[in-house]
Amino acid sequence: MPIPINSKITGYKVLTDGQVVPEPTKELMHEGLSRPSSLPGNTYKIKPPGAEHAMYITINDIILNAGTEHEERRPYEIFINSKNMEQFQWMVALTRVLSAVFRKGGDVAFLVEELKAVFDPRGGYIKKGGYVPSLVAEIGYVLEEHLLWTGVIKKEELSEQAKAYVEQKLAEFGGEVDESGFPANARVCQKCSKKAVIRLDGCDVCAACGDSKCG
Ligand SMILES: [Zn+2]
């Protein structure tokens, strides 16, 4: 069957008897991929309380199979910039290791969980109604935000039923709600780190992620 050629011929191969025309291959993330001269990305600013200087985190992405049905946006590299030289050497190490993992391809969502689980022995800090256990964890939150924005990972949504339950219980609970939208006296959730755990019907329930110790 003749196959129409709609684009410029850039190469050819003569098939021997028995060989079949190969399917167009889908480009996957791998270390050998050469870096295009420009990459799309975002720069995020974080400033932990007490830090003298802000930190700027840039995450750049690569678009694989552009313009095809297999088009996919993947993180390619991460840079962290700050005037704060105190953190310099391990920040450089962290960004190099993260970038190397990005370029290997495959799952990257686990990096978010690993970073978010790093606790600073001096204690973390509260930010936007959530508890941030360390500066490394905050970098994890930034990476999560970026991966959600680019569609690499999907937000874990509560089921409609669970959402309705939490909303109803929040209404019953009443009381003061702070700027995060959760009761002012809520405690920090072990699972999602939001300050949103309240006691309902004798059971601790997180109003943000629905985590509950009573099933
Ligand atoms: Zn939670």
PDB file of all heavy atoms in Angstrom, residues 189-194 197 206 208-211, ligand 1:
ATOM      1  N   CYS A 189      -1.353  18.085  60.089  1.00  0.00           N
ATOM      2  CA  CYS A 189      -1.614  16.728  59.597  1.00  0.00           C
ATOM      3  C   CYS A 189      -0.288  16.019  59.301  1.00  0.00           C
ATOM      4  O   CYS A 189       0.609  16.590  58.686  1.00  0.00           O
ATOM      5  CB  CYS A 189      -2.458  16.801  58.330  1.00  0.00           C
ATOM      6  SG  CYS A 189      -2.676  15.218  57.524  1.00  0.00           S
ATOM      7  N   GLN A 190      -0.177  14.778  59.747  1.00  0.00           N
ATOM      8  CA  GLN A 190       1.042  13.984  59.534  1.00  0.00           C
ATOM      9  C   GLN A 190       1.193  13.609  58.060  1.00  0.00           C
ATOM     10  O   GLN A 190       2.286  13.347  57.584  1.00  0.00           O
ATOM     11  CB  GLN A 190       0.965  12.673  60.340  1.00  0.00           C
ATOM     12  CG  GLN A 190       0.835  12.856  61.831  1.00  0.00           C
ATOM     13  CD  GLN A 190       2.150  13.216  62.474  1.00  0.00           C
ATOM     14  OE1 GLN A 190       3.203  12.715  62.083  1.00  0.00           O
ATOM     15  NE2 GLN A 190       2.107  14.101  63.450  1.00  0.00           N
ATOM     16  N   LYS A 191       0.046  13.573  57.362  1.00  0.00           N
ATOM     17  CA  LYS A 191       0.091  13.100  55.978  1.00  0.00           C
ATOM     18  C   LYS A 191       0.359  14.228  54.994  1.00  0.00           C
ATOM     19  O   LYS A 191       1.248  14.140  54.166  1.00  0.00           O
ATOM     20  CB  LYS A 191      -1.225  12.396  55.639  1.00  0.00           C
ATOM     21  CG  LYS A 191      -1.142  11.597  54.355  1.00  0.00           C
ATOM     22  CD  LYS A 191      -2.456  10.911  54.053  1.00  0.00           C
ATOM     23  CE  LYS A 191      -2.405  10.282  52.662  1.00  0.00           C
ATOM     24  NZ  LYS A 191      -3.767  10.051  52.157  1.00  0.00           N
ATOM     25  N   CYS A 192      -0.420  15.332  55.088  1.00  0.00           N
ATOM     26  CA  CYS A 192      -0.290  16.388  54.073  1.00  0.00           C
ATOM     27  C   CYS A 192       0.372  17.652  54.613  1.00  0.00           C
ATOM     28  O   CYS A 192       0.558  18.607  53.862  1.00  0.00           O
ATOM     29  CB  CYS A 192      -1.656  16.709  53.468  1.00  0.00           C
ATOM     30  SG  CYS A 192      -2.754  17.605  54.577  1.00  0.00           S
ATOM     31  N   SER A 193       0.712  17.656  55.921  1.00  0.00           N
ATOM     32  CA  SER A 193       1.421  18.789  56.542  1.00  0.00           C
ATOM     33  C   SER A 193       0.593  20.066  56.640  1.00  0.00           C
ATOM     34  O   SER A 193       1.119  21.106  57.009  1.00  0.00           O
ATOM     35  CB  SER A 193       2.743  19.097  55.829  1.00  0.00           C
ATOM     36  OG  SER A 193       3.612  18.004  55.945  1.00  0.00           O
ATOM     37  N   LYS A 194      -0.705  20.002  56.269  1.00  0.00           N
ATOM     38  CA  LYS A 194      -1.535  21.201  56.417  1.00  0.00           C
ATOM     39  C   LYS A 194      -2.021  21.280  57.873  1.00  0.00           C
ATOM     40  O   LYS A 194      -2.223  20.273  58.531  1.00  0.00           O
ATOM     41  CB  LYS A 194      -2.743  21.125  55.481  1.00  0.00           C
ATOM     42  CG  LYS A 194      -2.335  21.181  54.028  1.00  0.00           C
ATOM     43  CD  LYS A 194      -3.133  22.234  53.289  1.00  0.00           C
ATOM     44  CE  LYS A 194      -2.477  22.607  51.981  1.00  0.00           C
ATOM     45  NZ  LYS A 194      -2.302  21.479  51.064  1.00  0.00           N
ATOM     46  N   VAL A 197      -6.040  19.436  61.011  1.00  0.00           N
ATOM     47  CA  VAL A 197      -6.604  18.281  61.719  1.00  0.00           C
ATOM     48  C   VAL A 197      -7.505  18.748  62.861  1.00  0.00           C
ATOM     49  O   VAL A 197      -7.086  19.520  63.728  1.00  0.00           O
ATOM     50  CB  VAL A 197      -5.489  17.365  62.261  1.00  0.00           C
ATOM     51  CG1 VAL A 197      -6.084  16.220  63.084  1.00  0.00           C
ATOM     52  CG2 VAL A 197      -4.650  16.802  61.123  1.00  0.00           C
ATOM     53  N   CYS A 206      -8.344  15.046  59.089  1.00  0.00           N
ATOM     54  CA  CYS A 206      -7.737  16.180  58.396  1.00  0.00           C
ATOM     55  C   CYS A 206      -8.742  16.744  57.412  1.00  0.00           C
ATOM     56  O   CYS A 206      -9.220  16.030  56.519  1.00  0.00           O
ATOM     57  CB  CYS A 206      -6.466  15.756  57.672  1.00  0.00           C
ATOM     58  SG  CYS A 206      -5.787  17.098  56.681  1.00  0.00           S
ATOM     59  N   ALA A 208      -8.159  18.825  55.150  1.00  0.00           N
ATOM     60  CA  ALA A 208      -7.555  19.100  53.847  1.00  0.00           C
ATOM     61  C   ALA A 208      -7.458  17.842  53.001  1.00  0.00           C
ATOM     62  O   ALA A 208      -7.831  17.837  51.834  1.00  0.00           O
ATOM     63  CB  ALA A 208      -6.181  19.722  54.027  1.00  0.00           C
ATOM     64  N   CYS A 209      -6.929  16.770  53.588  1.00  0.00           N
ATOM     65  CA  CYS A 209      -6.708  15.565  52.772  1.00  0.00           C
ATOM     66  C   CYS A 209      -7.624  14.411  53.185  1.00  0.00           C
ATOM     67  O   CYS A 209      -7.617  13.370  52.544  1.00  0.00           O
ATOM     68  CB  CYS A 209      -5.249  15.128  52.815  1.00  0.00           C
ATOM     69  SG  CYS A 209      -4.749  14.387  54.383  1.00  0.00           S
ATOM     70  N   GLY A 210      -8.400  14.604  54.251  1.00  0.00           N
ATOM     71  CA  GLY A 210      -9.348  13.554  54.652  1.00  0.00           C
ATOM     72  C   GLY A 210      -8.729  12.439  55.451  1.00  0.00           C
ATOM     73  O   GLY A 210      -9.408  11.482  55.827  1.00  0.00           O
ATOM     74  N   ASP A 211      -7.433  12.544  55.751  1.00  0.00           N
ATOM     75  CA  ASP A 211      -6.768  11.481  56.504  1.00  0.00           C
ATOM     76  C   ASP A 211      -7.427  11.353  57.888  1.00  0.00           C
ATOM     77  O   ASP A 211      -7.705  12.352  58.553  1.00  0.00           O
ATOM     78  CB  ASP A 211      -5.274  11.814  56.648  1.00  0.00           C
ATOM     79  CG  ASP A 211      -4.497  10.661  57.276  1.00  0.00           C
ATOM     80  OD1 ASP A 211      -4.684   9.519  56.812  1.00  0.00           O
ATOM     81  OD2 ASP A 211      -3.719  10.904  58.209  1.00  0.00           O
TER      82      ASP A 211
HETATM   83 ZN    ZN B   1      -3.982  16.004  55.786  1.00  0.00          ZN
END
